[in-house]
Amino acid sequence: MKQRILVVEDEVQIATILKIELEYEGYEVLVAHTGKAGLEAALQEKLDLILLDVMLPEMNGIEVLRRIRNENTLLPIILLTARNITMDKVTGLDQGANDYITKPFEIEELLARIRSCIRQNSIAAKASKEVESILSIKDLFINLDTREVNRGDFSIALTPKEFDLLVYLLSNKNKIVTRENILINVWGYEYEGETNVIDVYIRHLRKKTEEGFSDPTIIQTVRGIGYTVREN
């Protein structure tokens, strides 16, 4: 699948040249000629990078950048500016731009910056995904992708429902979860069985994840409310 780039540039000739050059390099290119049109496309389209001119009609590039960053903190954005003024660069970077280039520029330099931004974003996204796939508390780790549970050097075998319950508790680490919320989120809205099923499964989890370890306590009871897992 082609990587998609949005060019937000009010000078039609420059926008056309950029579109031709980028398409030649294998990118799919969208073009907007005003700040408002660019913002709308940025928020609606699936994009890999934005080339954003600073001087735009209807809404300037810095304001477009600021509004995009309120919704999407990861999308790579390179500012295009005709003014070689330090304040423009500083403001843009402070508002979340990944890079900037001053017009007129060599297309090869721009292409190199585009490749660099997309590559860095890909690495960051991969790292973020890897972090999100692991839940932990103390020396207990859950791998959401492989459904493996380990405490220290020991592997812990859980039933599917025990696993789901432990994941829900760790996903709400340092928060108190009520029995009602546990039933809704782990057993589902349609569950009509005995409510003491939670006590049974909590007891099983404690036996498997706490007994025999030097710092045993993982799941804490909050009397009259529910349960919590805390680092301390």
Side-chain angles (χ1 to χ4, degrees):
M1 182 180 296
K2 291 184 178 181
Q3 293 172 323
R4 307 182 81 212
I5 294 178
L6 170 64
V7 175
V8 188
E9 169 62 67
D10 63 319
E11 295 186 46
V12 176
Q13 184 176 3
I14 293 177
T16 301
I17 293 172
L18 286 173
K19 187 174 190 296
I20 292 171
E21 293 285 355
L22 291 171
E23 287 180 339
Y24 180 79
E25 293 296 321
Y27 298 106
E28 181 180 345
V29 182
L30 291 72
V31 175
H33 296 298
T34 70
K36 288 184 178 180
L39 178 61
E40 182 178 350
L43 298 181
Q44 293 182 357
E45 299 288 343
K46 182 174 176 58
L47 302 169
D48 294 285
L49 183 135
I50 297 177
L51 295 178
L52 178 62
D53 190 23
V54 172
M55 301 298 291
L56 292 168
E58 297 184 1
M59 183 185 298
N60 69 63
I62 299 299
E63 179 62 16
V64 173
L65 170 64
R66 187 186 68 80
R67 296 194 186 192
I68 292 172
R69 282 292 178 250
N70 285 339
E71 302 294 330
N72 188 327
T73 59
L74 297 179
L75 179 62
I77 300 175
I78 298 176
L79 291 181
L80 308 177
T81 176
R83 297 183 300 169
N84 191 12
I85 299 176
T86 300
M87 185 55 65
D88 283 349
K89 301 172 184 178
V90 171
T91 302
L93 293 173
D94 283 345
Q95 291 295 329
N98 297 80
D99 202 352
Y100 60 84
I101 190 166
T102 303
K103 294 186 285 187
F105 48 78
E106 295 294 332
I107 191 65
E108 290 302 325
E109 180 184 359
L110 177 61
L111 291 172
R113 290 173 184 258
I114 288 171
R115 290 192 295 269
S116 177
C117 281
I118 291 178
R119 182 170 60 251
Q120 291 174 12
N121 185 62
S122 177
I123 293 171
K126 182 178 179 181
S128 177
K129 183 178 179 181
E130 289 175 351
V131 170
E132 290 175 358
S133 69
I134 302 294
L135 295 175
S136 67
I137 180 121
K138 297 184 179 179
D139 57 346
L140 176 71
F141 293 88
I142 300 176
N143 188 313
L144 299 179
D145 293 331
T146 63
R147 296 181 71 87
E148 293 177 309
V149 180
N150 292 278
R151 184 157 193 196
D153 297 326
F154 296 93
S155 177
I156 299 172
L158 299 179
T159 67
K161 192 59 69 178
E162 289 169 350
F163 180 87
D164 293 343
L165 175 56
L166 187 58
V167 166
Y168 180 69
L169 291 172
L170 264 67
S171 296
N172 291 276
K173 183 167 60 176
N174 298 320
K175 300 178 184 178
I176 298 173
V177 292
T178 66
R179 296 166 61 85
E180 179 183 11
N181 283 337
I182 292 174
L183 280 176
I184 290 172
N185 288 280
V186 179
W187 274 266
Y189 286 94
E190 304 301 322
Y191 179 76
E192 296 180 354
E194 296 293 330
T195 57
N196 67 355
V197 68
I198 297 176
D199 302 320
V200 173
Y201 274 83
I202 290 291
R203 188 162 61 248
H204 289 169
L205 277 180
R206 282 174 168 158
K207 182 178 180 65
K208 293 181 177 182
T209 63
E210 297 181 359
E211 289 185 8
F213 293 95
S214 57
D215 183 17
T217 304
I218 295 289
I219 304 169
Q220 301 176 33
T221 300
V222 182
R223 191 176 301 277
I225 301 177
Y227 299 93
T228 186
V229 292
R230 299 184 187 279
E231 291 288 356
N232 299 312

